[in-house]
Amino acid sequence: MMTERVNVLLVDDRPENLLALEAILEPLGQDLIRANSGPEALKRVLEIDLSVILLDVQMPGMNGFEVAEIIKSRERSRTIPIIFLSAISKEDAYVFKGYSMGAVEYVFKPFNPDVLRSKVAVFVDLFLKQGEIQRQGDLLRESQKRELELEHRTSLLETEARSAAKLSQMNDELHRRQIALEQAMGARNRFYASMSHELRTPINAVIGYSTLMLDNIYGPLNAKQKEGLQRTLKAARHLLELVNDVLDLSKIEAGKIELSLQPVMFPSLIEDLFVTVRPLADEYGSTLSLEMEGEAFNIVSDPRRVRQILLNLLSNAIKFGEGKPIRVVCKQNEAKGVEIDVVDEGVGIAKDDMTRIFEEFVQVSESKQPGTGLGLPISRRLAQLLDGSLSVHSDPGHGSAFRLTLPASLEDDLTPTAELSAASAA
């Protein structure tokens, strides 16, 4: 009997990559369907039954993550296995994003042809077996109509027993995978925290000794030596900023952020921050102004985390404000909470990038400003931990406005040093 052929969808915007995939998978003897873009892939998913999808991550217009999200949102296609193909970042955060979008495998280019062929063969075989089970079920139902009641009941009990065993096996496998994923995420967070602590000590030493040398503690420096040390000091401080941001992010994801609730005074907190960022504003040529609507007031929150959020917003406004004025508007809202707008007149943010700015390690601006790509993601997560929100409105070429909203008090929900759960940090 001729073996049934099934459909395998190959999605890549580069024809040469599709040709290479066809050469690798041809020995499987299945029907290889091409798609040159995300929209074409979605059309194929609607038209034909697929055993597995090999999906390139980096594609113009609609990337692989967006295609996978739509596929998994549809009832008809949500169970189709997806193997992501990527030639870029292998970092855990990037890979976990792929799995969160519904991937069952994540393969990095250049990939081993035998390994890739074996992975696809597994899903093809699973698809065929599922089809065979379905056909057997149909035949069984047809025969049940003609069988005696006793035979019918016996067959039904046997089918239920097999289904129960299969379901139990699948549940056990799902549980094992869930535990493995939780362990991997825990190991990643522990690695981030451990490495961040270990790295800060030598970085602080570099900063300390560089500062001492620039202060001529070890003797006078010539111009070239001074210039080199200043660059070293700047790079070390940038590295320390990255390490601190990674440590903060790992704490949030691990649910280890503690909040110390105290009265937070406005506009005093903002005025103090102006003193901190004034040298940076002077360096870029921007002026800072505070517009306070109404009388001074306070909320109950964590002042350290509120300062951290606003410091990130002010620093970004200065760096991307093109030397133009920066305004901070502060007012008490109707719920007695605080509403703070940080407004710049700089390059602005493109519409397609509005959601990406809150993703880890992403910098969408074309300007070559220093940064870690973690400031805004951390700020939004901290705002959520404080039971508030961080939103943005931007007009490309005319500037951006970030709005931080915080409630009047968290005392009803948290103790002064409550350790938040990982669920709260999500």
Side-chain angles (χ1 to χ4, degrees), residues 294-363:
E295 301 296 326
F297 64 95
N298 68 73
I299 64 172
V300 177
S301 191
D302 187 326
R304 175 170 174 261
R305 298 303 177 181
V306 177
R307 279 195 296 269
Q308 185 176 355
I309 296 171
L310 291 176
L311 183 59
N312 278 326
L313 298 183
L314 283 169
S315 298
N316 282 348
I318 293 170
K319 292 176 182 178
F320 300 104
E322 296 187 324
K324 297 177 182 178
I326 293 168
R327 297 183 300 118
V328 177
V329 182
C330 178
K331 69 176 182 180
Q332 189 173 32
N333 58 27
E334 294 180 357
K336 301 301 181 182
V338 65
E339 190 174 283
I340 305 168
D341 292 333
V342 179
V343 185
D344 68 69
E345 301 175 13
V347 295
I349 305 167
K351 182 179 179 180
D352 293 341
D353 293 329
M354 293 289 281
T355 56
R356 296 182 62 236
I357 61 174
F358 293 105
E359 297 178 7
E360 290 85 356
F361 300 104
V362 170
Q363 287 184 301

Side-chain angles (χ1 to χ4, degrees), residues 382-389 405-407 409-410 413:
L382 289 176
Q384 292 169 346
L385 289 177
L386 297 175
D387 203 17
S389 64
T405 303
L406 296 173
S409 175
L410 291 178
D413 303 318

Side-chain angles (χ1 to χ4, degrees), residues 179-295:
I179 292 176
L181 180 59
E182 291 174 352
Q183 290 174 341
M185 293 181 68
R188 183 197 64 173
N189 290 332
R190 289 192 298 273
F191 172 77
Y192 281 171
S194 174
M195 289 306 298
S196 297
H197 284 297
E198 293 295 330
L199 286 171
R200 281 196 293 187
T201 299
I203 293 173
N204 282 324
V206 172
I207 293 174
Y209 282 115
S210 297
T211 302
L212 291 174
M213 295 179 72
L214 286 171
D215 291 338
N216 295 321
I217 298 299
Y218 298 110
L221 302 172
N222 60 41
K224 286 293 184 181
Q225 291 172 331
K226 187 173 183 179
E227 180 184 357
L229 280 174
Q230 287 172 338
R231 291 182 178 179
T232 299
L233 183 59
K234 184 177 181 180
R237 285 174 174 165
H238 177 67
L239 183 57
L240 182 60
E241 177 187 352
L242 175 59
V243 170
N244 287 334
D245 282 348
V246 170
L247 180 58
D248 270 345
L249 185 63
S250 67
K251 284 183 177 179
I252 292 174
E253 293 186 348
K256 298 299 183 181
I257 288 286
E258 292 183 352
L259 299 182
S260 178
L261 303 186
Q262 303 172 28
V264 183
M265 306 297 298
F266 294 99
S268 300
L269 182 140
I270 300 173
E271 292 170 343
D272 291 342
L273 282 174
F274 274 15
V275 175
T276 301
V277 301
R278 185 83 60 186
L280 182 63
D282 292 342
E283 179 183 344
Y284 283 81
S286 292
T287 59
L288 304 174
S289 63
L290 172 60
E291 300 174 17
M292 183 68 187
E293 299 183 10
E295 301 296 326

Side-chain angles (χ1 to χ4, degrees), residues 37-46 62 67 70-71 74:
S37 66
E40 185 180 356
L42 295 176
K43 182 180 178 182
R44 295 293 189 185
V45 171
L46 291 175
M62 179 182 291
V67 175
I70 295 174
I71 291 173
R74 295 173 175 171

Side-chain angles (χ1 to χ4, degrees), residues 370-420:
T372 65
L374 289 173
L376 287 178
I378 290 174
S379 296
R380 170 168 276 189
R381 295 197 186 195
L382 289 176
Q384 292 169 346
L385 289 177
L386 297 175
D387 203 17
S389 64
L390 178 61
S391 59
V392 59
H393 173 77
S394 185
D395 184 7
H398 296 87
S400 305
F402 286 82
R403 172 167 293 179
L404 173 65
T405 303
L406 296 173
S409 175
L410 291 178
E411 290 182 323
D412 294 337
D413 303 318
L414 300 171
T415 58
T417 56
E419 183 175 294
L420 300 182

Side-chain angles (χ1 to χ4, degrees), residues 111-169:
F111 38 72
N112 185 301
D114 293 332
V115 172
L116 181 61
R117 189 183 304 112
S118 297
K119 290 179 182 292
V120 173
V122 169
F123 293 109
V124 167
D125 185 58
L126 179 61
F127 183 84
L128 290 171
K129 288 181 178 177
Q130 289 173 338
E132 180 63 25
I133 291 174
Q134 182 64 41
R135 285 190 293 272
Q136 289 179 358
D138 293 340
L139 292 174
L140 179 61
R141 283 188 291 273
E142 291 176 3
S143 65
Q144 286 173 345
K145 295 176 183 179
R146 299 187 296 269
E147 290 176 351
L148 297 173
E149 182 179 0
L150 179 60
E151 294 175 346
H152 169 75
R153 291 178 60 85
T154 302
S155 298
L156 181 61
L157 289 173
E158 291 176 352
T159 302
E160 290 178 348
R162 287 195 298 269
S163 298
K166 184 69 175 178
L167 181 60
S168 177
Q169 181 182 357

